Each structure stands twice: as C-alpha cells, then as structure tokens.
Amino acid sequence: MSISRRKFLGWIGAAGFGMTVGKTARAASNKHFSGYPDSMGVLYDNVLCIGCRKCEASCQKVNDLPMPPKPFEDLTVMDQNRRTDADTFLVMNKYEQVGNGRGPVFSRMGCNHCLEPACASSCFVAAYSKTKTGAVTYDASVCVGCRYCMIACPFNIPAYEYDEAFTPRIRKCTFCYPRISKGLLPGCVEICPTEALTYGKRSDLLKVARQRIQQAPDRYVDHIYGENEMGGTNWLYLSGVPFKDIGMREDLGVTPAPALTSGALGAVPIVVGLWPVLLTGIYAMSKRKEKISQQETQQAVTEALEKAQSEADSKLEQAMAKAQKEKETAIDKAVKKALEEAAKPKSEEEA
C-alpha cells in the first residue's frame, strides 16, 4: 500500500487529533441519514430482460475495466452463477426451472446504492459517501484497507484488489457517477435494448413499478425489491418469479444497516482512538523491518564482494607465484642446456 497515496501519516495525525478533542467517528453515529428524497435510481424489470449482456459490456467500457476472456456475445458464461469482483461491477445471472417455467429468468447483480449504506456506516475514515444523485461513491485516497465494508454489505458486493500489492482498492459499481453528474444515463441503462432498465427519480420509479404490477398482476410478483429492504435502495427490482428463486435475499428486513449496528458501533470512537497507535506501531515496525532487511542485504552483498575480491587476489597471487616459479625453472633449464651445448665443442677439440 503506497504511503503517499493513502496519506497514511496525515490520516494518523488527523485521527489522533480527532480523538483527543472527542470527535465521534462517522461509523459510530446514532443519527442515521435516510437518503436524499429527490435522488435518482434505476428500476430493473427482469420480465423485460432477455439476458443479452449488453449492459455488462457497456459497464466494462464506461468504467475502463478490462475485457473478460470470453466475449459478451458468448451467453454460455451464464450457465454458471457469477458474482461481481474487482474487475467486474455488473453481472447478469440466468436461472432455469424457476417460477411457472416460462423459460430462463435473469437477475442483475451489482451495488444497490442503499439509501443508508452499510459500507458507509462501517467505514471509520469516511471513504464512502452517499451523494445527492443517489450514488454511493468511494474515495480510495483515504481508505486504509480494513475491508469492514465487505463484511458489512448485506448484498456481498464490495470487492478487494488482492492482485494489487501496493495500491489495492475496494471496487464496486459507481452508478456511473461521473456520467449522471453530467446529466448522462448510466452506461447499462443507455444500452439496454428492451428497456428492462429505467433511470429516473426514485419516487417516480416506484410509481412506475406499482403501475406495472397493477396492470399485469399475473406477470409480476407483488413486491418492489429495494423499496424497503435494509431501509431502501436506489436500485429497484421487479420480477416475474419470487426473488429468492433468483439469488436475492428475502431475509434482510426493512431496518437500515446503521440502525442495526449503532449499539455495537458506539464503542468505535474508543477503538478508532487506538487505531492510530496500533497502525503507527505496525507501520514503524514494518519500516524498521524493511530498513534492517535492506541493511542486512547490503552488508551481505558487501561481504560477498569482499570475499570474492579476497579470493580473487589470493588466486592471482598464487598464479603469479606459480608462473614466476615456472619461469625461473625454465630459465634454469635453458641456462643449463646452453652451458652443456657450449661445453661440447671444447671437449671435441681436446679429443
């Protein structure tokens, strides 16, 4: 995790100061935000969905996400139940043999952008924010990677970039926040060929959903998923089969996540007060460990070079001594031979 990106020391200082002056952490607040009344939303109607996966393709494109190994035209990937991950913010799943057997039924999986987000209520550094648009946004620059949001989310959506060693982030659907802030449609809504996805004010979408149920009660389950689940969400769902049959939880109740956790999170200011000390200690130990490791490595390299140089000098000295000895031996032989040769003619003349 990059210390500059996370602004680790700055956060530690701010958190420590906040605890000394008695500032309550956002996660521990007993006051619950109930969402913006005029926020936008999306209504997903699986009766109209044909499972073409064009919404998935658009999501990958507008969010600059990597393309999957298999093309989006390959619908066989829906033969297995899938979930979102760090590189996939939206998936469509197919369910056979459900309801009245009218054929496959499809279900959208992605962040539901709760009115009172569990991810935000569990985040003590306020990395998550509920915006007036309805989107729940995430700020990676303040995230410390605790991953409490992953545990808190009742829909099991936030995903962690485990493959990013230095700058991991939490990843999820952004509700195309940059686009809707400019008055554009979310990528998935814009491309849907059957208008199974409808974008508009949440209050208006609820009216549209109720009208569809009233006009075709034999086609729809008499329930708008997301109207009240966990206090309500900005993504709303209509279905022709029971929601539990298409992988959607029906045990969540209507109480917002912060209300369920306020008692337990009452101790968060104390815990957060200890976080700066704990994290500073861990950081200091980690840096010291890195420094010692670097010093040991450098010392080992130096010693290895010195040893290699010493061995090389010793071998060179031995080689030079050997060469000198061989040279002297060769000279002695040459002198001896020359003397012998010089002595031969003299002996012959005397003879």
Side-chain angles (χ1 to χ4, degrees), residues 12 37 47 49 58 60 90 109 127 154 206 237 241-242 265 274 278-279 290 312 314 325 348:
I12 288 296
V47 172
C49 181
S58 181
Q60 296 295 114
L90 165 65
M109 184 178 187
L206 287 170
Y237 298 81
V241 299
L265 290 174
L274 297 176
L278 175 63
L279 294 179
E290 290 178 6
S314 176
K325 187 174 182 180
E348 289 175 357

Side-chain angles (χ1 to χ4, degrees), residues 312-326:
D313 291 344
S314 176
K315 289 181 180 180
L316 179 61
E317 185 177 348
Q318 292 175 7
M320 291 180 66
K322 183 179 179 181
Q324 182 66 27
K325 187 174 182 180
E326 290 176 350

Side-chain angles (χ1 to χ4, degrees), residues 252-267:
L252 297 175
V254 299
T255 306
L260 295 173
T261 57
S262 60
L265 290 174

